[in-house]
Amino acid sequence: MKSVKLTETEAKLAELIWNGEPMPSGELVKLCEGELGWKKSTTYTMLKRLEAKGIFFNADGTVISRISKEDFHAEQSKQFVDETFGGSLPRFLAAFTRSRRLNDKEIDELVKLINDIEEE
């Protein structure tokens, strides 16, 4: 996946779609009107932007994702670590834990994740 950045507004729309997909476009318009105060034209303009970025598509009036929410966020996280820490996850974790201590549960989850990766 190429590097994709979402504006705050695009991210709000993406979350609404991911949380309710597949979603009829008419239902999306109503949802955006209620949740975001958008007009129909605004919803379709913003949807077109997300389609151009390759995240969603409108197939016969139904909005569907091209990439899952989890995969999108995983790619965004990878790009952040690549751009900010030269791709070094240990450098990222060292910086992260410098200002926030991990609790025992978080440490156990990280150890389990590492062990699961080693087993693959």
Side-chain angles (χ1 to χ4, degrees), residues 29-47:
V29 168
K30 290 177 187 172
L31 183 62
C32 288
E33 181 180 24
E35 295 283 324
L36 305 171
W38 291 358
K39 294 181 180 178
K40 179 179 179 178
S41 59
T42 304
T43 299
Y44 282 112
T45 297
M46 296 305 296
L47 179 57

Side-chain angles (χ1 to χ4, degrees), residues 96-113:
F96 182 81
T97 57
R98 203 171 290 132
S99 63
R100 182 185 174 281
R101 303 299 299 165
L102 297 176
N103 63 40
D104 290 341
K105 182 181 178 194
E106 291 169 323
I107 292 169
D108 289 343
E109 288 175 11
L110 285 171
V111 169
K112 182 183 181 319
L113 179 63

Side-chain angles (χ1 to χ4, degrees), residues 12-83:
K12 287 178 183 179
L13 178 57
E15 287 295 325
L16 289 176
I17 297 169
W18 276 317
N19 290 336
E21 76 170 310
M23 183 180 296
S25 57
E27 184 179 317
L28 179 61
V29 168
K30 290 177 187 172
L31 183 62
C32 288
E33 181 180 24
E35 295 283 324
L36 305 171
W38 291 358
K39 294 181 180 178
K40 179 179 179 178
S41 59
T42 304
T43 299
Y44 282 112
T45 297
M46 296 305 296
L47 179 57
K48 289 275 186 218
R49 286 187 190 177
L50 293 176
E51 287 179 296
K53 292 182 178 190
I55 300 170
F56 298 99
F57 68 102
N58 190 346
D60 297 322
T62 301
V63 181
I64 304 167
S65 66
R66 292 187 183 276
I67 181 170
S68 72
K69 178 180 179 178
E70 294 77 17
D71 288 345
F72 177 79
H73 288 301
E75 183 62 30
Q76 295 299 299
S77 299
K78 179 185 174 302
Q79 289 174 14
F80 174 77
V81 171
D82 286 348
E83 293 168 5

